[in-house]
Amino acid sequence: MAVFFIDVILPRPLQQTFTYQVSESEYHFVQNGMRVAVPFGKNSNTIHTALIIGKHQKPPERYVAKEIHQILEDKPIVTENQIALWQWISNYYLCPIGDIFRAAMPSAFILESETLIRKKTTATLDELSLNDNEYLVLEALDQQANLVIKDISKLLSKKNVLPIVKKLIDKGYIETQEAIYAKYKPKLIKYVLLNPIYEKENALNELLNQLSRAEKQRELILSFFSLKAKNKTVRAKALIKAAGSNTAVLKALVNKEILQIDYQQEDRVLFNGGHQALPVLNEAQEAALKKVKHSFESKTTCLLHGVTSSGKTAIYTQLIQEQLDQDKQVLFLVPEIALTTQLIARLKRYFGNKIVVYHSKYSSNERVEVWKNVLQKNKTAQLIIGARSSIFLPFQDLGLIIVDEEHEVSYKQFDPSPRYHARDTAIVLAQKHQAKILLGSATPAIETYYNAQQGKYGLVTLDKRFGEVKMPQIQVIDLKEKYFKKQMKGHYSDTLLEQMEQALSKGEQVILFQNRRGYAPVLSCHTCGESPECPNCDVTLTYHKHHNQLRCHYCGYAMAVPLVCPACSSKDITSKGFGTEQVESEIQALFPDYKVGRMDFDTTKGKYGYQKIINSFQSQEIAILVGTQMLSKGLDFSNVSLVGVLNADNLLHFPDFRAHEHSFQLLTQVAGRSGRSKKQGQVHIQTFNPKHKTLQQVITNDYMACYTTELQERKQFLYPPFYRLIRISIKHRDFDRTQEASAWFAQALRQTFGAQVLGPETPAIGRIRNLYIRTILLKIPPKQSLTKSKAALLKIQRHFEAIAQYRAVRLLIDVDAY
């Protein structure tokens, strides 16, 4: 007798797939990409969501295959191309495919198993054997057939109710059963309809006469006809508002069968617009567009290197329109959610209801709707704008991918797993769909520009700003000299303050950049020098004045600001350094007549946090905007004439081989926010090291000098793009165990890779969330097989995990760790 099996992925940190048995009819019905509910683990009552990636008739060798619980849909919700992409990510980045499954799918698709508790019908109840809490639980089960643990916790106002549940199970009064729930709830809009019997003119007159004594009901009916004349459909909410009425009046009319209620499903994410003609390209943009198209004839990938405000977005719109005309889908990747606000406003003028947006600030239900629209290739989801997670969407006919600001570090996922790079993954995604990919940046990543120079990618350059606007004039302010001459007012030089006063007096706006959030990075005792540290991480706590708190930016630990020093009881506690919160407070005091806004992680936590700040600044309600690196990511403000960088040295002296590259990119991008209309912008960079080569390159906007210098150093010290990097992080709660495990792993690596292994070393922050960290860096030469190197690394990992004393040690692998 034939037996049938399916292979599935589970949303757990597991590399392997699992085999389950299905009936013959199920075998012929299911397809790859469908979800099934399966029992997993020792407790077969625990149900998990799994994704089918194969079916066959070969039983597993090491275990007896269990039967599936149920099939969760009648059509695949994941495409074959997606599964292939996940497998590539798993193989290339050495991460469990289960982690990719969980990261890729909206959480509403990962169904959760909850313990259902119900009363046993066969049990004989002895009330004297029950305490008060047990009695309350059983009483609740008399009124409701099933309860879950959180219901009982709420009922008893207790966090830990498991002992109570266990006692009731032991006494034989209750039993448990696992149930699986779908989290997604469609958005239903309530519409009002008129009963068809009242649609005739005579019937309408009779109806109004009938309601002559019910004045509120009569007014609501008249409002209904008024709205109906303007729109084909009438929403219940709009009707109640127009009539100045309430739901009780509407309900009364429904009960009288005069009105009827109809519920219609509606997408949560809809954009209107799309009536404007595409922007007219100037001569330079037209030439660049032709070169991009020519490049696409022979290459999949093209780099568009255009200076800030050169009009790259206008070129993007032309390419997008061509794809939409062919009924293709387009993915527009942006590094930060902050960028989507302005970008959507700009693109919806041209493409309107063809746009969907996908990022982490969207709710689970909104993400499900975007997923389904993309999967079904709906007209409302032809242009997808999203952050890095949008590469996981189920594209059906992808024609073009645009990666805007391709140099941004935000495209790299560091924690948690999967640790992938969205730009590089997008290139593979484009290849799987036979699509084209355009990388755009004013300051391309060294690796990207190197690939373009080597002929792997096409290269198109735009070296002038749109509308003949001049590049901003950049001035470096020597803080040593200013402090010596006593020309500083707090953290601000007299030059910067004078320029701010001039710009503001002309009605222009100012951006101040400080790449550190909070009020001050350190709170220190003036008497003994003690600084409060995080109990979970090896960092000092950052002072947040607004909440009067000290916070850890790594684990989230927070404490109230101490009134006296915990070490010596001195009251002389002062702050050192400064963050965006302090800058905002001080600038508001210096310029009391102007509104100051702040844009950092703390002020943009809400779903619409970015949008509110950007809209306020764009409408010129805010005159001075203080912010972190969020400000550098492609934002376009026409009235900004001055940008101030308050401390460039934090960027230049960061312990990373890409510090100078990142500094050049960040400072150039921040400077590019200035003077984007007709007037030439001004940029003032405060530093203690004005002659630094990177700052000189920023002043002259000399990307090629930065690229050439960096490339020489990378070649000399064996870094990308010449060598590939794999970082291995080893973590454990015990310091000695971490040291011992990292030493073992490094020694094992050296036996295979020799001098290519660096470390183990303690990173700049050696403990995070009570886990001690040691890192090992593996450098892979250009002629050495990356595939074989990874295979050797995985073999060493398996040996490591087989050692009993290291089983509790966490080992994390990050491929292309830069």
Side-chain angles (χ1 to χ4, degrees):
M1 183 180 173
V3 186
F4 301 93
F5 301 95
I6 57 170
D7 291 332
V8 302
I9 308 168
L10 285 161
R12 299 170 67 85
L14 301 166
Q15 180 57 47
Q16 69 268 38
T17 57
F18 295 88
T19 303
Y20 285 83
Q21 188 173 336
V22 291
S23 68
E24 186 175 356
S25 60
E26 288 172 333
Y27 178 82
H28 292 299
F29 176 76
V30 297
Q31 301 174 51
N32 288 352
M34 282 185 178
R35 292 174 305 150
V36 287
V38 297
F40 183 73
K42 292 179 181 178
N43 180 9
S44 293
N45 289 329
T46 304
I47 308 299
H48 292 266
T49 301
L51 187 80
I52 302 172
I53 63 163
K55 54 182 190 174
H56 53 84
Q57 291 182 260
K58 185 180 178 182
E61 294 178 1
R62 297 183 181 179
Y63 55 89
V64 177
K66 296 176 183 176
E67 292 184 358
I68 66 168
H69 186 271
Q70 67 185 96
I71 300 168
L72 297 175
E73 54 244 332
D74 55 5
K75 289 181 181 177
I77 62 166
V78 173
T79 68
E80 293 283 4
N81 272 333
Q82 278 180 288
I83 294 169
L85 182 70
W86 295 1
Q87 288 168 334
W88 177 84
I89 293 171
S90 177
N91 293 330
Y92 185 82
Y93 290 104
L94 303 182
C95 56
I97 197 164
D99 281 343
I100 302 166
F101 176 32
R102 180 169 283 281
M105 301 288 282
S107 59
F109 283 145
I110 310 291
L111 305 182
E112 296 292 341
S113 176
E114 291 191 58
T115 302
L116 275 183
I117 295 162
R118 62 187 181 193
K119 198 172 181 180
K120 268 191 178 179
T121 53
T122 55
T124 305
L125 189 62
D126 178 11
E127 292 186 7
L128 296 175
S129 68
L130 302 172
N131 61 32
D132 291 345
N133 287 330
E134 291 167 354
Y135 183 80
L136 283 171
V137 173
L138 291 176
E139 190 178 45
L141 285 168
D142 284 333
Q143 298 170 13
Q144 194 172 326
N146 298 308
L147 293 173
V148 293
I149 295 294
K150 63 183 178 185
D151 294 332
I152 296 173
S153 184
K154 201 172 181 180
L155 174 72
L156 303 179
S157 299
K158 287 177 177 286
K159 285 186 178 179
N160 187 11
V161 294
L162 292 178
I164 299 164
V165 173
K166 189 175 184 303
K167 282 182 182 178
L168 286 170
I169 293 170
D170 293 341
K171 290 175 182 178
Y173 294 143
I174 64 172
E175 60 186 1
T176 63
Q177 177 191 351
E178 291 295 318
I180 199 155
Y181 292 95
K183 293 179 183 174
Y184 170 65
K185 290 182 181 178
K187 181 182 179 183
L188 298 175
I189 302 297
K190 194 176 181 181
Y191 288 91
V192 179
L193 306 173
L194 183 68
N195 191 321
I197 63 171
Y198 295 108
E199 288 182 356
K200 294 178 182 178
E201 192 174 339
N202 293 337
L204 282 174
N205 292 330
E206 288 176 18
L207 172 60
L208 293 172
N209 290 332
Q210 181 186 332
L211 297 174
S212 59
R213 292 185 180 181
E215 190 178 333
K216 288 186 177 179
Q217 292 179 20
R218 194 170 189 274
E219 285 177 8
L220 194 136
I221 288 292
L222 290 170
S223 296
F224 172 83
F225 289 128
S226 176
L227 290 174
K228 182 76 173 172
K230 297 175 185 175
N231 306 298
K232 291 181 180 179
T233 57
V234 178
R235 287 193 181 194
K237 197 172 181 181
L239 175 59
I240 290 167
K241 186 178 180 181
S245 190
N246 55 54
T247 51
V249 177
L250 177 60
K251 190 176 180 182
L253 287 166
V254 172
N255 290 338
K256 288 180 179 180
E257 296 184 354
I258 296 169
L259 294 179
Q260 297 172 346
I261 298 297
D262 180 40
Y263 289 94
Q264 293 182 23
Q265 186 172 332
E266 186 175 286
D267 284 353
R268 290 171 170 85
V269 186
L270 288 171
F271 296 99
N272 297 315
H275 306 300
Q276 279 191 25
L278 294 182
V280 178
L281 304 186
N282 63 20
E283 192 177 329
Q285 289 172 320
E286 197 70 60
L289 178 62
K290 285 179 182 175
K291 288 177 183 176
V292 169
K293 289 180 183 178
H294 180 70
S295 171
F296 281 155
E297 290 174 8
S298 57
K299 295 181 175 67
T300 299
T301 308
C302 179
L303 170 63
L304 177 59
H305 177 205
V307 297
T308 55
S309 194
S310 58
K312 294 185 289 294
T313 307
I315 296 173
Y316 298 159
T317 59
Q318 298 287 339
L319 293 167
I320 290 167
Q321 187 61 62
E322 287 179 15
Q323 295 298 319
L324 299 187
D325 289 343
Q326 297 172 44
D327 204 25
K328 297 270 189 179
Q329 292 174 317
V330 178
L331 173 61
F332 198 126
L333 279 175
V334 292
E336 286 271 0
I337 299 165
L339 266 181
T340 60
T341 301
Q342 275 200 330
L343 194 62
I344 293 163
R346 197 178 304 174
L347 294 182
K348 77 176 182 181
R349 297 177 205 153
Y350 315 122
F351 308 113
N353 56 6
K354 294 179 180 178
I355 296 174
V356 291
V357 180
Y358 193 81
H359 55 62
S360 60
K361 292 280 171 123
Y362 270 18
S363 69
S364 180
N365 287 335
E366 287 170 332
R367 294 178 125 207
V368 167
E369 286 171 6
V370 173
W371 185 282
K372 287 183 174 179
N373 285 333
V374 173
L375 180 65
Q376 294 161 8
K377 203 187 171 187
N378 287 346
K379 293 290 184 183
T380 55
Q382 278 189 278
L383 173 56
I384 300 96
I385 304 170
R388 60 174 178 250
S389 59
S390 56
I391 61 164
F392 293 121
L393 285 167
F395 302 103
Q396 290 294 325
D397 192 6
L398 191 61
L400 175 68
I401 302 175
I402 295 169
V403 184
D404 197 23
E405 309 296 345
E406 65 81 28
H407 65 277
E408 278 290 345
V409 183
S410 309
Y411 283 124
K412 179 72 167 74
Q413 166 81 8
F414 290 101
D415 269 313
S417 175
R419 296 171 184 84
Y420 66 98
H421 200 299
R423 178 196 64 213
D424 299 343
T425 306
I427 292 171
V428 177
L429 175 65
Q431 290 169 350
K432 292 191 179 300
H433 284 269
Q434 283 87 50
K436 302 300 180 184
I437 179 163
L438 182 64
L439 311 176
S441 177
T443 52
I446 299 296
E447 298 78 23
T448 303
Y449 203 82
Y450 179 77
N451 284 331
Q453 293 281 41
Q454 295 298 306
K456 190 175 178 182
Y457 304 160
L459 176 60
V460 178
T461 303
L462 266 174
D463 53 9
K464 289 183 180 179
R465 284 186 151 191
F466 183 78
E468 300 300 321
V469 176
K470 293 181 180 179
M471 294 297 292
Q473 188 177 0
I474 302 174
Q475 180 182 345
V476 174
I477 299 170
D478 188 348
L479 289 178
K480 285 184 291 186
E481 182 184 333
K482 292 292 181 183
Y483 275 111
F484 180 75
K485 293 181 178 178
K486 297 183 179 179
Q487 293 174 337
M488 294 292 292
K489 197 168 188 177
H491 305 296
Y492 319 100
S493 65
D494 58 343
T495 308
L496 179 60
L497 293 175
E498 284 170 17
Q499 290 294 324
M500 286 178 67
E501 185 66 58
Q502 287 179 24
L504 294 168
S505 65
K506 293 174 185 175
E508 296 164 352
Q509 291 170 291
V510 177
I511 286 177
L512 294 179
F513 171 74
Q514 170 62 3
N515 204 28
R516 189 184 288 275
R517 64 189 175 101
Y519 189 83
V522 179
L523 208 63
S524 177
C525 174
H526 207 272
T527 305
C528 69
E530 182 72 17
S531 297
E533 293 187 355
C534 175
N536 309 315
C537 312
D538 286 346
V539 292
T540 54
L541 296 170
T542 302
Y543 175 38
H544 288 253
K545 189 176 182 180
H546 179 70
H547 297 284
N548 196 35
Q549 276 186 339
L550 295 175
R551 286 189 203 161
C552 175
H553 290 170
Y554 288 87
C555 71
Y557 172 83
M559 62 176 281
V561 175
L563 298 174
V564 297
C565 173
C568 69
S569 299
S570 169
K571 293 183 179 179
D572 192 5
I573 300 175
T574 57
S575 61
K576 292 183 178 179
F578 62 105
T580 50
E581 189 182 350
Q582 186 175 159
V583 174
E584 180 191 27
S585 174
E586 291 174 349
I587 290 296
Q588 189 66 78
L590 289 168
F591 297 93
D593 298 332
Y594 300 96
K595 187 175 179 181
V596 181
R598 174 162 56 99
M599 186 174 172
D600 58 23
F601 181 79
D602 298 313
T603 60
T604 55
K605 285 182 180 177
K607 182 176 179 179
Y608 300 107
Y610 294 99
Q611 194 171 329
K612 288 175 184 175
I613 295 167
I614 289 171
N615 288 347
S616 294
F617 193 60
Q618 202 159 10
S619 60
Q620 299 181 31
E621 293 172 27
I622 295 173
I624 305 168
L625 184 61
V626 179
T628 57
Q629 60 183 354
M630 290 179 181
L631 295 172
S632 69
K633 301 179 192 291
L635 297 172
D636 188 0
F637 302 112
S638 60
N639 196 41
V640 173
S641 64
L642 176 65
V643 168
V645 178
L646 302 182
N647 187 355
D649 301 309
N650 284 346
L651 303 170
L652 296 168
H653 304 307
F654 194 77
D656 181 9
F657 79 92
R658 292 191 70 179
H660 292 168
E661 179 193 355
H662 284 161
S663 299
F664 177 86
Q665 289 167 342
L666 197 51
L667 292 172
T668 302
Q669 292 286 348
V670 169
R673 302 315 106 203
S674 174
R676 294 176 74 91
S677 55
K678 294 181 180 179
K679 184 180 176 182
Q680 185 179 21
Q682 299 289 320
V683 181
H684 293 276
I685 301 174
Q686 296 188 158
T687 175
F688 285 98
N689 193 1
K691 294 183 180 179
H692 195 285
K693 64 178 182 182
T694 302
L695 293 180
Q696 296 304 312
Q697 291 161 359
V698 171
I699 291 170
T700 55
N701 192 39
D702 194 348
Y703 173 80
M704 286 309 297
C706 174
Y707 170 75
T708 305
T709 305
E710 284 295 302
L711 206 64
Q712 288 171 352
E713 291 184 359
R714 302 278 182 90
K715 193 169 188 177
Q716 183 181 353
F717 296 107
L718 313 181
Y719 278 107
F722 303 103
Y723 275 59
R724 311 298 285 268
L725 297 185
I726 300 178
R727 182 188 292 119
I728 300 106
S729 299
I730 292 168
K731 301 181 180 182
H732 194 266
R733 288 181 177 272
D734 181 77
F735 177 78
D736 293 332
R737 182 69 57 86
T738 309
Q739 298 283 95
E740 185 186 328
S742 60
W744 186 99
F745 203 90
Q747 184 58 35
L749 283 172
R750 282 194 179 93
Q751 289 174 5
T752 303
F753 297 102
Q756 295 168 222
V757 181
L758 302 181
E761 295 288 340
T762 301
I765 300 168
R767 182 175 61 105
I768 297 176
R769 291 187 171 92
N770 282 320
L771 292 173
Y772 291 96
I773 307 168
R774 297 275 280 173
T775 58
I776 302 166
L777 199 63
L778 178 61
K779 292 185 173 182
I780 312 293
K783 292 182 181 179
Q784 184 174 311
S785 168
L786 186 61
T787 305
K788 289 179 180 178
S789 299
K790 289 177 185 174
L793 174 58
L794 289 175
K795 187 177 180 181
I796 294 167
Q797 182 187 6
R798 286 193 290 272
H799 287 312
F800 176 82
E801 290 170 347
I803 301 170
Q805 69 205 63
Y806 298 148
R807 279 179 191 158
V809 176
R810 290 182 62 191
L811 192 144
L812 310 175
I813 298 173
D814 190 356
V815 178
D816 292 345
Y818 50 84

